[in-house]
Amino acid sequence: MNPNPSTEAHARPARLTVGVVGAGRVGPALAASLQLAGHRPVAVSGVSDASVRRAAELLPGVPLVSPAEVLARADLVLLTVPDDALADLVKGLAETGAVRPGQLLVHTSGRFGAKVLDPATRAGALPLALHPAMTFTGTSVDVQRLAGCPFGVTAPEELRMAAEALVIEMGGEPEWIAEADRPLYHAALAIGANYLVTLVAQAMELLRKAGVRAPDRMLGPLLGAALDNALRSGDAALTGPVARGDAGTVGAHVAELRTHAPQAVAGYLAMARMTADRALTHGLLKPELAAELLDALAGPPPSDPGPHGGGA
């Protein structure tokens, strides 16, 4: 023990005890990164076997306790639960008196800003919304990925510096998001990240059906280049039959998908129409080719199953 606590406090100001409510993939990683910055994880709550394993791996020796006990022990509490559970959790903690005045209460939901924490704020908590724009695996690699990771930050103006400082301590880069803009911000990230996974998985499945033995190896260089080009050039990076106005090729795609992967048709058509709109707007698709292309995207009507039902 340091014989001169005031000296230690001066050398390492604002060191906090940290608790995690919801040991999913995000909370333990953030707490572990705060530990590297000198803060001290003291409690974590989790119910499932996976949560217990994550806590043991990323926060060894930190006791698993109830959510109320986490708040009782910690100066800084990370609320890392699913978006739809957050409001009820905050309300319940406030109503049961678990929230302490002056306690930093941080949630990591992309959808919500600081207002979802209002019940706890009225009880004296300091509300922060810190959303890491990153996918998490629930393993130690997540702590490394936080280096340079952007965080969507929303907080009362008087807490803005404290919120941004915590992000920097976790290795991240703070990006201020206004309260009213949080849903749009989160929708943008979902389109870019979540739906990208769906598109890639669908492409690999179709390549397997086409006889490609290693679809990941075939797609890797192509998708890497496409992503790099898109981040650098935006819509100017559009290529392919839709942007060129190759209606015949697009029609052939739709016909093949209807035969071999009917579940993929709706997604192909929706993305092709959106691509056509953006290509037209940015002058990449010639207007005289657009009408024929849109006809191809309309495609033939689904086969009539007839009086006995069925269909392909």
Side-chain angles (χ1 to χ4, degrees):
M1 177 180 251
N2 189 341
N4 191 342
S6 62
T7 302
E8 181 176 343
H10 179 74
R12 305 186 68 179
R15 299 301 91 184
L16 302 168
T17 53
V18 178
V20 178
V21 176
R25 296 183 180 184
V26 178
L30 297 187
S33 68
L34 288 168
Q35 185 173 35
L36 291 175
H39 301 288
R40 185 164 60 91
V42 293
V44 59
S45 73
V47 177
S48 70
D49 291 342
S51 295
V52 173
R53 287 195 301 271
R54 277 189 289 266
E57 178 183 354
L58 293 171
L59 302 171
V62 176
L64 274 98
V65 297
S66 68
E69 185 63 22
V70 171
L71 269 70
R73 298 186 185 193
D75 303 316
L76 165 63
V77 179
L78 302 171
L79 303 179
T80 51
V81 297
D83 290 0
D84 288 351
L86 180 59
D88 286 343
L89 171 66
V90 174
K91 181 181 178 183
L93 291 172
E95 288 178 347
T96 57
V99 179
R100 292 186 286 110
Q103 191 169 45
L104 285 164
L105 214 56
V106 177
H107 79 70
T108 58
S109 166
R111 171 186 169 190
F112 295 109
K115 286 190 178 300
V116 72
L117 298 173
D118 276 355
T121 303
R122 289 191 289 270
L126 306 178
L128 309 176
L130 308 180
H131 174 251
M134 177 57 63
T135 59
F136 287 78
T137 64
T139 66
S140 58
V141 72
D142 295 331
V143 180
Q144 302 166 25
R145 286 181 174 176
L146 288 173
C149 170
F151 277 66
V153 176
T154 305
E157 187 61 37
E158 61 272 19
L159 295 176
R160 178 168 178 165
M161 289 184 64
E164 293 179 347
L166 280 173
V167 169
I168 291 169
E169 285 197 313
M170 287 186 282
E173 297 181 1
E175 179 72 33
W176 186 256
I177 308 294
E179 181 80 31
D181 292 332
R182 292 289 289 211
L184 180 60
Y185 152 81
H186 196 224
L189 295 181
I191 290 172
N194 304 155
Y195 303 156
L196 175 63
V197 174
T198 302
L199 290 172
V200 173
Q202 180 71 80
M204 289 199 295
E205 182 179 306
L206 294 174
L207 285 173
R208 288 190 192 97
K209 288 189 175 185
V212 175
R213 288 174 295 178
D216 53 337
R217 291 177 60 187
M218 176 169 280
L219 284 173
L222 174 64
L223 297 186
L227 178 59
D228 184 62
N229 291 343
L231 292 175
R232 291 174 184 271
S233 305
D235 288 292
L238 277 173
T239 62
V242 172
R244 291 192 300 266
D246 289 344
T249 299
V250 171
H253 289 176
V254 174
E256 284 296 298
L257 290 175
R258 287 188 189 280
T259 300
H260 298 289
Q263 76 282 358
V265 172
Y268 181 96
L269 292 175
M271 292 302 298
R273 290 172 185 139
M274 186 181 298
T275 300
D277 287 344
R278 298 190 73 88
L280 267 172
T281 299
H282 291 85
L284 301 172
L285 174 60
K286 295 178 181 179
E288 60 269 24
L289 298 176
E292 187 177 355
L293 178 67
L294 291 175
D295 285 342
L297 291 174
S303 300
D304 185 353
H308 301 293

